[in-house]
Amino acid sequence: MTGLLTLEKLRAQSQLRIKLSDITQAVMSVVEVAGSRVQSGERPILITTLDEQGLSMLTSLRIPVRQDYKLGFQISINGHKLFLTGECIWQRDEDNLYHYGIRFIQSVQEREALWCKLAGYSHPLLPDRDQIHELYNRMSSVEYELELSASVNLVS
């Protein structure tokens, strides 16, 4: 069973955050302000990092950093279109653009589905990842056994 990527193996590892080598273009719109649904036009954004909790993005738009200002995102990952909702939690000026941090607003099931899509995206980027982890674990256990045997020899 070694070499196979399972959900349990992936989930046991730390949070999956993807720093995109090619900045990915997506579409953003305003979906809610102060609890009221709104209709807005769509604007392109550039996503720089993405995980199941949220994303960071670059845009020329000035967006309020408020919890009652909800944004909708259309993102394509491996040919799958995702529709996500989030709120802006931080903002920085960067040259002629604004850099924003977005926290997704989603159910546990939606978060798990997004995590699986991100895992499917990242695995081909790191094809030897499982083998590297297996090697590291073997090396760690050998080091532990050597330390244990050295401490036993010191006591005797």
Side-chain angles (χ1 to χ4, degrees), residues 106-116:
Q106 56 194 356
S107 68
V108 173
Q109 293 84 2
E110 290 169 324
R111 182 170 290 139
E112 289 294 320
L114 177 57
W115 190 89
C116 289

Side-chain angles (χ1 to χ4, degrees), residues 2-143:
T2 57
L4 289 179
L5 183 65
T6 65
L7 183 58
E8 291 79 24
K9 279 185 188 178
L10 281 170
R11 207 57 175 143
Q13 297 166 7
S14 63
Q15 180 181 1
L16 190 61
R17 171 165 290 180
I18 298 173
K19 181 164 178 69
L20 303 165
S21 55
D22 300 327
I23 293 177
T24 301
Q25 190 170 350
V27 176
M28 177 193 74
S29 61
V30 179
V31 294
E32 184 180 305
V33 177
S36 298
R37 301 283 297 166
V38 296
Q39 296 265 340
S40 80
E42 298 176 337
R43 293 291 301 246
I45 59 165
L46 301 173
I47 297 175
T48 56
T49 60
L50 177 65
D51 65 31
E52 74 264 21
Q53 306 283 325
L55 59 85
S56 64
M57 67 175 192
L58 293 169
T59 181
S60 61
L61 297 174
R62 189 162 190 90
I63 300 168
V65 179
R66 302 179 4 198
Q67 288 185 335
D68 66 345
Y69 197 84
K70 309 294 187 223
L71 303 168
F73 299 91
Q74 292 180 29
I75 305 167
S76 183
I77 298 177
N78 287 345
H80 296 96
K81 281 199 184 260
L82 302 174
F83 300 94
L84 303 164
T85 304
E87 59 193 16
C88 184
I89 57 173
W90 58 263
Q91 177 261 323
R92 294 186 194 112
D93 293 352
E94 250 180 56
D95 298 320
N96 295 329
L97 296 172
Y98 298 103
H99 193 183
Y100 293 100
I102 305 297
R103 177 179 42 222
F104 293 138
I105 303 165
Q106 56 194 356
S107 68
V108 173
Q109 293 84 2
E110 290 169 324
R111 182 170 290 139
E112 289 294 320
L114 177 57
W115 190 89
C116 289
K117 292 212 180 349
L118 293 175
Y121 174 82
S122 70
H123 190 65
L125 300 176
L126 305 167
D128 298 329
R129 181 179 183 172
D130 288 339
Q131 292 145 353
I132 291 168
H133 281 289
E134 187 177 325
L135 252 166
Y136 178 76
N137 288 336
R138 276 194 265 150
M139 287 174 56
S140 296
S141 66
V142 167
E143 286 174 2

